[in-house]
């Protein structure tokens, strides 16, 4: 299988561990098991004693009842038997394409978005049509353009809601119109919902599976629940034929997600209100900090995110984004993601859901770097952490 290099993940792999101020991270500030026990009101010794006494088998092959009931509670109409556990949302997206897309199928995807949504179907031999989201339209799908792209038939339409990297939130009205287009073609509508629930207000964010029978939702415990370390995600859909194919293909590459990951995810889902309360507080306070910083910086601009953990920030310096982000990393320790990873030149993706101190120090370091660019003397020495 030939596939394009995964630009954003290759960038993260190369630089993340050495970052002084990591504001490229897309998870809400990660929690430890101790913090999870505290948030959930769980007795640590009792939980660990039960876990340590279990024999390390494959566990529940299709996911434990506790896990699947917890995932189902995040939707309005999904039942536990309509959920396929996977290795993270990355595993979920890959598994959907691996199970349902064949050479010659037509797939419509968006850009900017997570690269899996267009590079994987292309690698499987699908004909991929790209719908470019526009800054002036708030990075929302253009329904008229989607309708034109779907003319002649389509096997699957792919969206990302909330959007990574721009933080746009597709309203229910647009989702329903996209579903109507998919329905007219008997197409699947895959929506990567890995940031779902991380909104800037308390309004319920609908899932595509609660709006369309052939809708497919992918998500995980990583972003919303701050538990990327357990590598547990899922696929949810009402479509019986899709479920049949995904369960069949799962036997070839997954077997199970691991009983320890399952147990930790189940505990977190049982305390979802507490975790969501914590994480919404973080993203709302931190977005206000980011927004205030952007208003004061003369060389940058953005469309303020409505949801998620990331913002796509544009700059007017005469340098490509890989060069700018690498120089900034090397001279001041601030780590962000080049916009060219998303085919958005002269921009960068900032992850604003880190701990508040890291965000503030990282933005301050960026300002210092921008002043050096203004003066034409970007340095080469890297500061030590304050």
């Amino acid at each position: 299988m030939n596939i394009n290099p995964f630009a954003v993940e290759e960038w993260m792999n190369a630089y993340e561990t050495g970052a002084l101020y990591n504001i490229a991270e897309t998870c809400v500030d990660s929690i430890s098991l101790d913090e999870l026990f505290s948030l959930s009101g769980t007795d640590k010794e009792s939980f660990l004693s039960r876990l340590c006494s279990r024999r390390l088998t494959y566990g529940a092959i299709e996911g434990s009842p506790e896990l699947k009931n917890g995932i189902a509670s995040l939707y309005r109409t999904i039942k536990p038997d309509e959920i396929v556990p996977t290795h993270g949302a990355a595993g979920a997206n890959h598994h959907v394409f691996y199970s349902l897309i064949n050479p010659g199928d037509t797939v419509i995807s968006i850009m900017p978005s997570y690269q899996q949504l267009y590079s994987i179907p292309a690698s499987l031999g699908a004909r991929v049509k790209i719908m470019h989201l526009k800054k002036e339209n708030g990075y929302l799908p253009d329904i008229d353009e989607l309708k034109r792209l779907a003319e002649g038939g389509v096997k699957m339409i792919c969206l990302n809601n909330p959007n990574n990297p721009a933080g746009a939130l597709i309203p229910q009205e647009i989702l329903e119109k996209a579903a109507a287009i998919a329905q007219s073609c008997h197409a699947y509508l895959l929506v990567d919902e890995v940031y779902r629930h991380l909104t800037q207000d308390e309004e319920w964010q609908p899932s595509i599976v609660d709006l369309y029978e052939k809708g497919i939702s992918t998500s995980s415990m990583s972003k919303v629940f701050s538990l990327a370390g357990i590598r547990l995600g899922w696929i949810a859909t009402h479509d019986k034929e899709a479920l049949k194919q995904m369960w069949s293909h799962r036997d070839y590459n997954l077997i199970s997600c691991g009983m320890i990951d399952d147990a930790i995810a189940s505990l977190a889902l049982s305390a979802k209100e507490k975790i969501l309360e914590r994480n919404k507080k973080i993203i709302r306070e931190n977005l206000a900090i980011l927004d205030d910083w952007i208003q004061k910086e003369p060389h940058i601009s953005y469309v303020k995110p409505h949801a998620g953990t990331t913002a796509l920030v544009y700059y007017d310096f005469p340098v490509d984004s890989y060069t700018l982000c690498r120089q900034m990393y090397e001279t001041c320790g601030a780590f962000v993601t080049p916009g060219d990873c998303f085919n958005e030149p002269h921009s960068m993706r900032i992850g604003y859901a880190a701990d508040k101190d890291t965000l503030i120090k990282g933005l301050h370091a960026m300002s210092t770097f921008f002043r050096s660019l203004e003066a034409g003397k970007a340095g080469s020495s890297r500061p030590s952490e304050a």
Side-chain angles (χ1 to χ4, degrees), residues 63-64 69 84 128 135 160 170 210 271 358:
S64 69
N69 284 326
V84 181
V128 179
K135 182 181 180 182
N160 175 209
I170 305 173
D210 294 325
T358 297

Side-chain angles (χ1 to χ4, degrees), residues 96-103 105-107 121 124-126 155-156 188:
V96 169
F97 293 124
Y98 169 67
S99 303
L100 301 178
I101 298 303
N102 296 305
D105 287 342
T106 297
V107 173
L124 296 172
K155 179 71 171 290
M156 182 180 290
Y188 295 110

Side-chain angles (χ1 to χ4, degrees), residues 211-284:
L211 302 175
Y212 178 44
E213 191 71 17
K214 290 174 74 71
I216 301 172
S217 166
T218 55
S219 193
S220 78
M221 300 301 297
S222 299
K223 316 297 185 183
V224 175
F225 294 98
S226 302
L227 291 169
I230 64 172
R231 308 309 306 134
L232 198 148
W234 61 85
I235 306 162
T237 185
H238 293 301
D239 189 272
K240 290 181 171 52
E241 180 57 31
L243 286 167
K244 179 181 176 181
Q245 292 299 319
M246 288 185 288
W247 282 118
S248 176
H249 285 74
R250 192 176 184 268
D251 292 335
Y252 282 94
N253 72 349
L254 199 64
I255 301 181
S256 72
C257 289
M259 62 162 59
I260 296 175
D261 291 351
D262 186 307
I264 295 170
S266 298
L267 177 60
L269 289 164
S270 74
K272 63 181 183 295
E273 291 85 2
K274 288 287 187 181
I275 298 175
L276 284 171
E277 180 183 5
R278 169 197 184 264
N279 288 0
K280 287 179 180 179
K281 183 174 186 289
I282 290 172
I283 63 164
R284 291 168 186 176

Side-chain angles (χ1 to χ4, degrees), residues 31 33-42 271 274-275 278-279:
I31 60 175
L33 278 176
D34 282 339
E35 289 172 297
L36 176 57
F37 294 142
S38 177
L39 283 165
S40 63
T42 299
K274 288 287 187 181
I275 298 175
R278 169 197 184 264
N279 288 0

Side-chain angles (χ1 to χ4, degrees), residues 54-72:
R54 296 177 66 180
R55 293 175 60 82
L56 294 178
T57 67
Y58 286 107
I61 298 299
E62 297 184 357
S64 69
E66 294 80 11
L67 174 68
K68 297 179 81 171
N69 284 326
I71 294 171

Side-chain angles (χ1 to χ4, degrees), residues 147-225:
K147 190 177 297 184
R148 288 193 297 272
L149 290 171
E151 290 176 357
V154 58
K155 179 71 171 290
M156 182 180 290
I157 298 170
C158 305
L159 301 175
N160 175 209
N161 190 39
N163 178 267
N164 171 19
L169 181 64
I170 305 173
Q172 182 168 335
E173 178 185 3
I174 293 180
L175 285 174
E176 289 173 342
K177 289 178 179 178
I181 294 170
Q183 186 174 39
S184 71
C185 302
H186 307 287
Y188 295 110
L189 180 48
L190 167 66
V191 183
D192 180 334
E193 298 180 338
V194 75
Y195 299 98
R196 181 169 166 257
H197 303 295
L198 294 177
T199 53
Q200 289 293 314
D201 57 43
E202 289 303 318
E203 184 176 354
W204 171 263
Q205 184 188 342
S207 168
I208 194 59
V209 296
D210 294 325
L211 302 175
Y212 178 44
E213 191 71 17
K214 290 174 74 71
I216 301 172
S217 166
T218 55
S219 193
S220 78
M221 300 301 297
S222 299
K223 316 297 185 183
V224 175
F225 294 98

Side-chain angles (χ1 to χ4, degrees), residues 9 29 32 47 64 81 106 134 171 206 211 246 288 329 349-350 379:
E9 297 301 342
D29 191 27
S32 65
F47 179 90
S64 69
D81 63 359
T106 297
K134 299 177 179 62
L211 302 175
M246 288 185 288
Y329 175 87
R349 185 187 71 180
I350 295 179

